[in-house]
């Protein structure tokens, strides 16, 4: 079975191929840079990273555009409160976003574009929509007339036929019950920042920026548009209404949406005290690879219940894989190759790929890998694993890590407590007694990675932190 994705637009799993040539043109909604990204946001961005990596593993090239929303209601409010210009205020959080995504090993999209660099194009698009009869003005603002667009509701699968024509909203975010004509260009209130333009002084609404930047760089019909489920309505519905009114062509072939994340089965919120940024988790001693692993391990269309037990389990899972890799690299195996294990490796590789082809079933891919690791460890213990089995196993691990990217420890990792260090040292003493020097060396290396240096003396093993 070929690569396939669930398309929110058709509500079907469909085979995927780019519309033209070998390059997949993707647009994903980026951050609104008014604070640090929380892990719910980062779940969506991690899904998009897995999507990128898997498309490339399947031989495609990528042209991926992500916007940075650097003008918006909350930004304006917060910047004013801090007596900063928009640029000054958003610079800090844009950089923080780039740092966080780099820490999580999320690949940079081919193009990262700022809304405020595209005001002129947005004004032109609003004028074009006006020429086509899709807009009207009120109090200096320009609104999109949704009753003029017959397909309104086709992405969110809502029936909006009963909506009251002319009811409108100025805010960028609103709920389903409030389908309204939405704002394209907002007249400035009080001392809000604004741009002079042919349609009057003002600033763009959130929705128009994505339509304009997506089509500017990627053309009128994208291969994939992705984001979180919270964006389906109104944001993506409005993007379709704007773009298709301008081009009379489908705006995106595939719409992919990542589900919500909860914390210990609770909705994440500041008021509930369970609101976490990546920085919060790192300062609690968790490493970025564990966070990445946990975010990636649940298939993107399933709700993700983020728990601290899950985070610890992620760290353990990564350790198992690192230990397995080290064992492949350092254990002494007897000559030859075991054909059964070669076949087993191939089967795992196929199952890994087929799982990801199946709408990025990351859980299935991980299951395939871990079953293989378990069987291989057993074969190593019994001496059935041979020198000739090492290379295929390392290749399988490399294929896994090209997507999941968790095997390399982060530089700053210091997440080993004194008690954990002592447990590992005790295990190492036992391993040496059993003449399992590979394991002993592995533990030494693991502790070294965590900044802990061992010194073997007649009185036993001493240790200190670097
Ligand atoms: Zn968007």
């Amino acid at each position: 079975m070929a690569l396939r994705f669930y398309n929110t637009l058709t509500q079907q799993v469909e085979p995927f191929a780019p519309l033209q040539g070998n390059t997949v043109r993707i647009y994903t909604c980026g951050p609104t840079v008014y604070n640090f990204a929380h892990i719910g946001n980062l779940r969506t961005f991690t899904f998009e990273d897995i999507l990128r990596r898997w498309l490339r593993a399947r031989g495609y090239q990528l042209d991926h555009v992500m916007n940075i929303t650097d003008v918006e209601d909350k930004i304006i409010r917060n910047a004013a409160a801090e007596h900063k210009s928009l640029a000054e205020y958003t610079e800090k959080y844009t950089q923080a976003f780039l740092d966080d995504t780099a820490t999580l090993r999320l690949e940079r999209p081919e193009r990262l574009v700022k809304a405020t660099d595209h005001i002129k194009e947005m004004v032109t698009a609003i004028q074009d929509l006006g020429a086509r009869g899709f807009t009207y003005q009120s109090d200096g603002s320009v609104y999109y007339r949704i009753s003029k667009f017959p397909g309104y509701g086709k992405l969110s699968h809502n029936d909006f036929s009963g909506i009251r024509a002319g009811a409108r909203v100025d805010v960028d975010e609103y709920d389903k019950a409030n389908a309204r004509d939405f704002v394209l260009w907002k007249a400035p209130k009080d001392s809000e920042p604004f741009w002079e333009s042919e349609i009057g002084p003002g600033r763009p609404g959130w929705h128009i920026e994505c339509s304009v930047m997506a089509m500017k760089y990627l053309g009128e019909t994208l291969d994939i548009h992705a984001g979180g489920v919270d964006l389906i309505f109104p944001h993506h519905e409005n993007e379709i209404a704007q773009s298709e009114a301008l081009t009379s062509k489908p705006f995106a072939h595939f719409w992919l949406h990542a589900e919500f994340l909860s914390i210990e089965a609770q909705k994440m919120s500041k008021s509930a005290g369970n609101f976490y940024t990546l920085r919060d988790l790192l300062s609690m001693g968790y490493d970025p690879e564990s966070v990445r692993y946990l975010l990636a391990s649940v298939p993107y269309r399933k709700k993700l219940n983020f728990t601290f037990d899950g985070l610890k389990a992620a760290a353990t899972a990564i350790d198992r894989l690192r230990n397995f890799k080290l064992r492949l690299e350092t254990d002494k195996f007897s000559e030859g190759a075991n054909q059964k294990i070669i076949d087993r490796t191939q089967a795992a590789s196929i199952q890994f790929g087929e799982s990801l082809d199946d709408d990025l079933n990351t859980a299935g891919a991980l299951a395939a890998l871990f079953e293989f690791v378990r069987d291989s460890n057993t074969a190593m213990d019994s001496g059935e694993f041979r020198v000739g089995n090492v290379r295929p196993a390392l290749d399988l691990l490399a294929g896994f890590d090209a997507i999941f990217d968790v095997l390399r420890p982060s530089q700053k990792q210091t997440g080993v407590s004194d008690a954990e260090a002592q447990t590992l040292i005790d295990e190492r003493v036992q391993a040496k007694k059993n003449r399992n020097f590979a394991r002993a060396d592995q533990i030494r290396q693991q502790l070294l990675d965590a900044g802990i240096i061992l010194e073997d003396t007649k009185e036993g093993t001493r240790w200190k932190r670097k």
Side-chain angles (χ1 to χ4, degrees):
M1 287 273 273
L3 176 60
R4 56 210 184 274
F5 298 126
Y6 179 85
N7 188 346
T8 307
L9 187 65
T10 60
Q11 298 183 302
Q12 307 268 331
V13 175
E14 298 172 43
F16 174 80
L19 294 166
Q20 307 155 16
N22 197 47
T23 300
V24 183
R25 291 161 305 123
I26 310 173
Y27 186 87
T28 58
C29 293
T32 299
V33 283
Y34 71 102
N35 61 8
F36 298 109
H38 60 68
I39 54 169
N41 304 139
L42 292 171
R43 190 228 177 154
T44 299
F45 296 127
T46 303
F47 140 66
E48 291 160 356
D49 184 65
I50 300 288
L51 171 66
R52 282 181 57 90
R53 289 167 184 254
W54 189 243
L55 285 168
R56 217 177 28 239
R58 281 306 190 217
Y60 295 117
Q61 288 174 311
L62 303 173
D63 190 356
H64 174 189
V65 175
M66 181 190 272
N67 64 307
I68 302 276
T69 298
D70 58 351
V71 53
E72 188 262 0
D73 300 341
K74 291 186 285 287
I75 293 173
I76 291 172
R77 195 185 57 215
N78 292 7
E82 293 188 16
H83 306 288
K84 284 185 177 152
S85 71
L86 283 188
E88 225 183 326
Y89 182 79
T90 56
E91 174 56 32
K92 172 181 164 189
Y93 292 107
T94 302
Q95 194 51 53
F97 173 75
L98 297 178
D99 293 346
D100 287 350
T101 50
T103 303
L104 269 189
R105 304 179 186 180
L106 308 184
E107 294 182 346
R108 272 279 182 103
E110 280 64 29
R111 308 174 211 238
L112 209 51
V113 292
K114 287 184 178 174
T116 54
D117 290 338
H118 297 78
I119 302 289
K120 216 172 134 59
E121 290 95 327
M122 292 178 211
V123 169
T124 304
I126 294 167
Q127 286 176 308
D128 289 351
L129 284 170
R132 289 167 181 257
F134 285 93
T135 71
Y136 61 92
Q137 290 218 8
S138 178
D139 294 332
S141 293
V142 183
Y143 296 86
Y144 185 99
R145 193 189 300 279
I146 58 174
S147 60
K148 187 84 194 323
F149 185 71
Y152 199 77
K154 68 180 173 182
L155 182 70
S156 53
H157 301 281
N158 288 315
D159 177 9
F160 290 121
S161 54
I163 51 165
R164 196 155 55 86
R168 54 184 183 266
V169 290
D170 286 306
V171 292
D172 287 322
E173 293 174 85
Y174 45 95
D175 61 41
K176 266 202 266 293
N178 283 309
R180 296 281 192 274
D181 291 345
F182 57 90
V183 71
L184 296 164
W185 188 253
K186 297 193 201 198
K189 284 191 211 107
D190 307 324
S191 56
E192 285 180 351
F194 63 90
W195 283 261
E196 288 294 352
S197 80
E198 293 89 333
I199 50 176
R203 62 184 160 100
W206 173 35
H207 314 300
I208 193 70
E209 76 175 64
C210 285
S211 287
V212 165
M213 293 192 282
M215 292 196 291
K216 170 172 177 172
Y217 295 104
L218 299 174
E220 292 177 337
T221 303
L222 325 172
D223 290 307
I224 297 175
H225 194 314
V229 285
D230 53 322
L231 298 187
I232 295 174
F233 187 88
H235 184 52
H236 290 164
E237 198 73 75
N238 291 351
E239 282 189 40
I240 290 177
Q242 297 163 149
S243 306
E244 299 191 0
L246 284 168
T247 66
S248 307
K249 289 180 188 151
F251 177 42
H253 187 197
F254 275 79
W255 285 87
L256 272 56
H257 291 100
E259 259 295 346
F260 283 116
L261 172 148
S262 56
I263 305 281
E264 307 281 350
Q266 304 291 314
K267 190 177 183 325
M268 181 166 73
S269 74
K270 281 194 171 140
S271 55
N274 64 355
F275 184 95
Y276 297 105
T277 65
L278 179 62
R279 285 145 202 259
D280 295 332
L281 298 172
L282 300 186
S283 71
M284 292 160 84
Y286 297 101
D287 58 62
E289 305 93 276
S290 301
V291 178
R292 177 178 167 90
Y293 184 98
L294 180 53
L295 294 179
S297 62
V298 176
Y300 75 97
R301 284 208 302 125
K302 286 210 164 75
K303 291 196 172 71
L304 194 162
N305 182 21
F306 190 100
T307 66
F308 288 96
D309 282 345
L311 208 45
K312 287 176 199 129
T316 306
I318 294 168
D319 272 348
R320 261 187 83 198
L321 296 175
R322 286 178 183 165
N323 289 338
F324 178 63
K325 180 159 181 268
L326 197 69
R327 210 174 166 187
L328 285 169
E329 289 164 343
T330 57
D331 268 17
K332 293 277 171 282
F333 302 106
S334 41
E335 290 303 310
N338 183 331
Q339 187 58 41
K340 254 168 56 187
I341 293 170
I342 289 177
D343 295 345
R344 181 72 192 79
T345 314
Q346 246 171 22
S349 171
I350 289 167
Q351 203 193 328
F352 181 84
E354 282 180 348
S355 297
L356 290 175
D357 276 347
D358 179 14
D359 199 22
L360 303 178
N361 179 1
T362 48
L366 289 172
L369 182 73
F370 277 100
E371 281 164 29
F372 169 77
V373 170
R374 185 197 56 208
D375 292 353
S376 295
N377 274 322
T378 307
M380 287 173 179
D381 295 341
S382 67
E384 285 169 78
F385 201 97
R386 305 293 175 80
V387 170
N389 296 120
V390 170
R391 192 69 256 166
L394 283 172
D395 288 346
L396 176 65
L397 271 184
F400 153 80
D401 210 39
I403 310 302
F404 286 84
D405 201 354
V406 292
L407 293 183
R408 172 177 51 88
S410 289
Q411 294 295 321
K412 283 175 262 173
Q413 183 176 319
T414 55
V416 174
S417 68
D418 291 5
E420 285 166 338
Q422 195 53 56
T423 305
L424 281 166
I425 289 164
D426 294 345
E427 192 194 334
R428 180 167 168 272
V429 170
Q430 196 56 46
K432 282 169 86 178
K433 264 188 207 154
N434 300 341
R435 307 190 64 74
N436 185 352
F437 297 110
R439 179 64 188 145
D441 287 345
Q442 197 175 48
I443 291 170
R444 176 187 279 279
Q445 186 59 47
Q446 187 184 343
L447 289 168
L448 192 62
D449 288 340
I452 292 167
I453 299 163
L454 302 188
E455 194 191 342
D456 291 318
T457 70
K458 283 199 190 98
E459 290 79 37
T461 303
R462 294 195 194 126
W463 64 276
K464 61 177 181 191
R465 290 186 190 271
K466 269 197 274 199

